[in-house]
Short mmCIF file of all heavy atoms in Angstrom, two decimals:
data_model
loop_
_atom_site.label_atom_id
_atom_site.label_comp_id
_atom_site.label_asym_id
_atom_site.label_seq_id
_atom_site.Cartn_x
_atom_site.Cartn_y
_atom_site.Cartn_z
N ALA U 533 47.02 3.24 17.69
CA ALA U 533 47.40 2.68 18.97
C ALA U 533 46.20 1.99 19.60
O ALA U 533 45.07 2.41 19.44
CB ALA U 533 47.93 3.77 19.94
N LYS U 534 46.47 0.94 20.35
CA LYS U 534 45.41 0.23 21.06
C LYS U 534 44.85 1.14 22.15
O LYS U 534 45.60 1.84 22.85
CB LYS U 534 45.92 -1.07 21.66
CG LYS U 534 44.83 -2.00 22.10
CD LYS U 534 45.41 -3.38 22.50
CE LYS U 534 44.32 -4.31 22.91
NZ LYS U 534 44.86 -5.69 23.23
N MET U 535 43.52 1.20 22.26
CA MET U 535 42.94 2.09 23.26
C MET U 535 43.12 1.47 24.67
O MET U 535 42.95 0.27 24.86
CB MET U 535 41.43 2.23 23.00
CG MET U 535 41.11 3.02 21.73
SD MET U 535 39.38 3.36 21.59
CE MET U 535 39.30 3.91 19.86
N SER U 536 43.48 2.36 25.59
CA SER U 536 43.62 1.88 26.99
C SER U 536 43.42 3.08 27.91
O SER U 536 43.73 4.23 27.54
CB SER U 536 45.00 1.26 27.21
OG SER U 536 46.03 2.22 27.17
N LYS U 537 42.96 2.83 29.09
CA LYS U 537 42.75 3.90 30.07
C LYS U 537 44.06 4.56 30.43
O LYS U 537 44.14 5.80 30.62
CB LYS U 537 42.07 3.35 31.32
CG LYS U 537 40.65 2.91 31.10
CD LYS U 537 40.01 2.39 32.38
CE LYS U 537 38.59 1.94 32.13
NZ LYS U 537 37.98 1.33 33.33
N SER U 538 45.16 3.76 30.52
CA SER U 538 46.44 4.33 30.91
C SER U 538 46.98 5.31 29.89
O SER U 538 47.67 6.28 30.23
CB SER U 538 47.45 3.21 31.13
OG SER U 538 47.63 2.47 29.94
N LYS U 539 46.64 5.09 28.60
CA LYS U 539 47.10 6.01 27.53
C LYS U 539 46.16 7.21 27.42
O LYS U 539 46.53 8.21 26.78
CB LYS U 539 47.15 5.26 26.21
CG LYS U 539 48.21 4.20 26.12
CD LYS U 539 48.19 3.54 24.75
CE LYS U 539 49.20 2.42 24.63
NZ LYS U 539 49.10 1.71 23.33
N GLY U 540 44.99 7.11 27.99
CA GLY U 540 44.05 8.19 27.90
C GLY U 540 43.48 8.38 26.49
O GLY U 540 43.04 9.49 26.14
N ASN U 541 43.43 7.32 25.72
CA ASN U 541 42.97 7.45 24.36
C ASN U 541 41.69 6.63 24.09
O ASN U 541 41.39 6.33 22.96
CB ASN U 541 44.07 7.02 23.36
CG ASN U 541 44.41 5.52 23.49
OD1 ASN U 541 44.08 4.91 24.51
ND2 ASN U 541 45.11 5.01 22.53
N VAL U 542 40.98 6.27 25.17
CA VAL U 542 39.75 5.51 25.03
C VAL U 542 38.65 6.45 24.48
O VAL U 542 38.43 7.54 24.99
CB VAL U 542 39.34 4.90 26.36
CG1 VAL U 542 37.93 4.25 26.24
CG2 VAL U 542 40.36 3.88 26.79
N ILE U 543 37.95 5.99 23.44
CA ILE U 543 36.83 6.74 22.90
C ILE U 543 35.57 5.95 23.31
O ILE U 543 35.29 4.86 22.80
CB ILE U 543 36.90 6.82 21.37
CG1 ILE U 543 38.21 7.52 20.96
CG2 ILE U 543 35.71 7.61 20.81
CD1 ILE U 543 38.44 7.60 19.43
N ASN U 544 34.83 6.48 24.26
CA ASN U 544 33.68 5.81 24.82
C ASN U 544 32.49 5.83 23.87
O ASN U 544 32.02 6.91 23.47
CB ASN U 544 33.31 6.46 26.16
CG ASN U 544 32.20 5.70 26.86
OD1 ASN U 544 31.10 5.48 26.31
ND2 ASN U 544 32.45 5.34 28.10
N PRO U 545 31.97 4.69 23.46
CA PRO U 545 30.87 4.67 22.48
C PRO U 545 29.59 5.33 22.98
O PRO U 545 28.86 5.93 22.18
CB PRO U 545 30.65 3.17 22.20
CG PRO U 545 31.23 2.43 23.36
CD PRO U 545 32.35 3.33 23.82
N LEU U 546 29.27 5.19 24.27
CA LEU U 546 28.05 5.81 24.76
C LEU U 546 28.13 7.33 24.75
O LEU U 546 27.16 8.02 24.49
CB LEU U 546 27.74 5.29 26.21
CG LEU U 546 27.49 3.78 26.27
CD1 LEU U 546 27.26 3.38 27.73
CD2 LEU U 546 26.27 3.43 25.42
N GLU U 547 29.36 7.84 25.04
CA GLU U 547 29.57 9.28 24.92
C GLU U 547 29.48 9.71 23.45
O GLU U 547 28.94 10.79 23.14
CB GLU U 547 30.90 9.66 25.51
CG GLU U 547 30.98 9.49 27.02
CD GLU U 547 32.38 9.75 27.60
OE1 GLU U 547 33.25 10.20 26.80
OE2 GLU U 547 32.56 9.57 28.82
N ASN U 548 29.98 8.84 22.55
CA ASN U 548 29.88 9.15 21.11
C ASN U 548 28.43 9.30 20.68
O ASN U 548 28.05 10.19 19.95
CB ASN U 548 30.54 8.06 20.30
CG ASN U 548 32.02 7.88 20.51
OD1 ASN U 548 32.57 6.83 20.28
ND2 ASN U 548 32.68 8.94 21.01
N VAL U 549 27.60 8.38 21.20
CA VAL U 549 26.18 8.37 20.82
C VAL U 549 25.52 9.67 21.33
O VAL U 549 24.75 10.30 20.58
CB VAL U 549 25.47 7.15 21.44
CG1 VAL U 549 23.96 7.30 21.24
CG2 VAL U 549 25.94 5.89 20.74
N LYS U 550 25.85 10.08 22.52
CA LYS U 550 25.29 11.35 23.05
C LYS U 550 25.70 12.56 22.23
O LYS U 550 24.90 13.44 21.95
CB LYS U 550 25.73 11.56 24.48
CG LYS U 550 25.04 10.64 25.50
CD LYS U 550 25.56 10.93 26.91
CE LYS U 550 24.89 9.97 27.92
NZ LYS U 550 25.41 10.23 29.30
N GLU U 551 26.93 12.56 21.79
CA GLU U 551 27.44 13.73 21.05
C GLU U 551 27.10 13.71 19.58
O GLU U 551 26.74 14.74 19.01
CB GLU U 551 28.97 13.83 21.21
CG GLU U 551 29.57 15.07 20.56
CD GLU U 551 31.07 15.19 20.80
OE1 GLU U 551 31.64 14.33 21.51
OE2 GLU U 551 31.66 16.17 20.27
N PHE U 552 27.20 12.55 18.97
CA PHE U 552 27.06 12.46 17.49
C PHE U 552 25.81 11.70 17.00
O PHE U 552 25.42 11.83 15.86
CB PHE U 552 28.29 11.77 16.88
CG PHE U 552 29.59 12.49 17.20
CD1 PHE U 552 30.43 11.98 18.15
CD2 PHE U 552 29.94 13.62 16.53
CE1 PHE U 552 31.64 12.61 18.43
CE2 PHE U 552 31.15 14.29 16.83
CZ PHE U 552 32.01 13.79 17.76
N GLY U 553 25.22 10.92 17.91
CA GLY U 553 24.07 10.08 17.51
C GLY U 553 24.52 8.67 17.22
O GLY U 553 25.68 8.40 16.80
N SER U 554 23.62 7.75 17.41
CA SER U 554 23.92 6.33 17.23
C SER U 554 24.26 6.00 15.80
O SER U 554 25.21 5.27 15.50
CB SER U 554 22.72 5.48 17.69
OG SER U 554 22.98 4.11 17.44
N ASP U 555 23.52 6.58 14.88
CA ASP U 555 23.80 6.33 13.43
C ASP U 555 25.20 6.73 13.04
O ASP U 555 25.88 6.05 12.26
CB ASP U 555 22.77 7.06 12.58
CG ASP U 555 21.41 6.40 12.63
OD1 ASP U 555 21.35 5.18 12.79
OD2 ASP U 555 20.43 7.10 12.45
N ALA U 556 25.65 7.87 13.55
CA ALA U 556 26.96 8.34 13.18
C ALA U 556 28.05 7.41 13.65
O ALA U 556 29.03 7.10 12.95
CB ALA U 556 27.23 9.73 13.80
N LEU U 557 27.91 6.85 14.88
CA LEU U 557 28.88 5.91 15.38
C LEU U 557 28.85 4.61 14.57
O LEU U 557 29.88 4.08 14.14
CB LEU U 557 28.60 5.57 16.85
CG LEU U 557 29.52 4.50 17.47
CD1 LEU U 557 30.99 4.91 17.40
CD2 LEU U 557 29.10 4.25 18.91
N ARG U 558 27.67 4.09 14.31
CA ARG U 558 27.54 2.87 13.52
C ARG U 558 28.13 3.03 12.12
O ARG U 558 28.91 2.20 11.64
CB ARG U 558 26.05 2.48 13.38
CG ARG U 558 25.37 1.96 14.61
CD ARG U 558 23.88 1.79 14.39
NE ARG U 558 23.60 0.94 13.26
CZ ARG U 558 22.90 -0.19 13.34
NH1 ARG U 558 22.42 -0.58 14.50
NH2 ARG U 558 22.66 -0.89 12.24
#
Side-chain angles (χ1 to χ4, degrees):
K534 194 171 182 177
M535 292 187 192
S536 69
K537 290 180 181 177
S538 61
K539 292 180 182 176
N541 64 345
V542 173
I543 302 176
N544 185 305
L546 296 177
E547 292 176 5
N548 296 157
V549 170
K550 286 180 182 178
E551 184 177 358
F552 301 103
S554 177
D555 286 330
L557 176 60
R558 288 172 56 119

